[in-house]
Amino acid sequence: MNAICVLHLSDLHWGQEGVCTHWESFEDLFVDSVKAALQSSKSQKVDLILFTGDLVFSGTSTQYAELDKKIEQLRGKLDLTCPILAVPGNHDMSRPDNKAQITEAVLKDFRSERSKFWSNYSVTLGGWFKNYDTWWKRQKHPSKILYGDIPGDFAATVEMNGLKLGVIGLNTAHLHFKDSLTEGQLGLTSPQYHSIFTQKDASGNITPREWCRSHDAVILATHHPLNWLDADSKAFFLRDVHRSGEILFHAFGHMHIPLSSGESY
């Protein structure tokens, strides 16, 4: 049976005080664990690295440069030549200097003018992930990717081992610029999601359903789990994004604890 092996990583927080030292103490254990898992898998090798956010701690270019060094070290130890896909987390954002004033205005408009929010703020929100976007452009990606309006929104096609895997990435961190925000306060809107499939060139548009059905399986990747979205965003997510039978599984991070659930169709 053909298979695609995905190495799912999350919440490294590179640059946080103590993380580098802590990582050095268990890096060999991590590498050995991955090697042991590969020996028992059908694939025998990693075909895709999928990172679900908080790659670094405060979104600085220096932290991303240091992260590149660590990724290359891991590639060497695990003999990885595969592409990498990632969505940003709240720690990957370069937060604005006058964030108190700006973020309150953004959150207020999101809650009161949701229908106009994306057209008014997508450029501003995208700018807060400029260092992440620079890092992203340095990485090795699958050759077929559709991009949305802000960094972290994409639909990528991974073709290998006789299979066609789709990966949809959604940036759920674009409103998480305040540490005081908690579960049920983040947002995801239709214009954000559909911007991925509305292409700006001669290739034409495709519906999300058409794109999903053109693949053997589709993975959805976000930084935040579903319960961090507000009620309207959660309803949209369940109705239009994570449709039954079209998404194989939803990979996310942010929890800092292992968590998985499943359902059969």
Side-chain angles (χ1 to χ4, degrees), residues 49-122:
I49 301 170
L50 179 62
F51 213 128
T52 53
D54 282 359
L55 294 81
V56 298
F57 185 61
S58 52
T60 67
S61 57
T62 300
Q63 290 176 356
Y64 282 114
E66 292 298 319
L67 175 68
D68 277 341
K69 296 177 184 178
K70 183 51 59 181
I71 290 175
E72 287 308 306
Q73 289 176 11
L74 281 178
R75 283 188 179 277
K77 291 185 176 183
L78 290 169
D79 193 25
L80 301 179
T81 60
C82 60
I84 184 170
L85 292 172
V87 291
N90 47 298
H91 284 279
D92 298 315
M93 181 188 301
S94 304
R95 304 188 184 193
D97 294 334
N98 54 340
K99 65 179 181 180
Q101 179 180 358
I102 292 179
T103 56
E104 286 300 329
V106 170
L107 288 172
K108 179 181 178 181
D109 284 357
F110 175 75
R111 291 162 182 158
S112 63
E113 296 287 344
R114 190 167 302 210
S115 62
K116 301 177 182 178
F117 176 80
W118 197 249
S119 60
N120 290 341
Y121 283 103
S122 60

Side-chain angles (χ1 to χ4, degrees), residues 12-29:
L12 183 58
H13 290 228
W14 199 259
Q16 184 178 8
E17 184 178 358
V19 164
C20 299
T21 301
H22 186 56
W23 171 259
E24 297 300 331
S25 68
F26 74 86
E27 181 176 7
D28 288 341
L29 177 62

Side-chain angles (χ1 to χ4, degrees), residues 133-152:
D133 194 40
T134 299
W135 171 84
W136 165 274
K137 291 173 180 176
R138 293 198 297 262
Q139 307 311 306
K140 176 182 179 182
H141 305 301
S143 59
K144 297 180 180 179
I145 304 183
L146 306 177
Y147 288 104
D149 287 338
I150 65 173

Side-chain angles (χ1 to χ4, degrees), residues 22 91 124 127 175 184 189 210 240 251 257 260:
H22 186 56
H91 284 279
T124 298
L175 291 180
T189 62
E210 290 171 337
D240 288 9
I257 57 173
S260 65

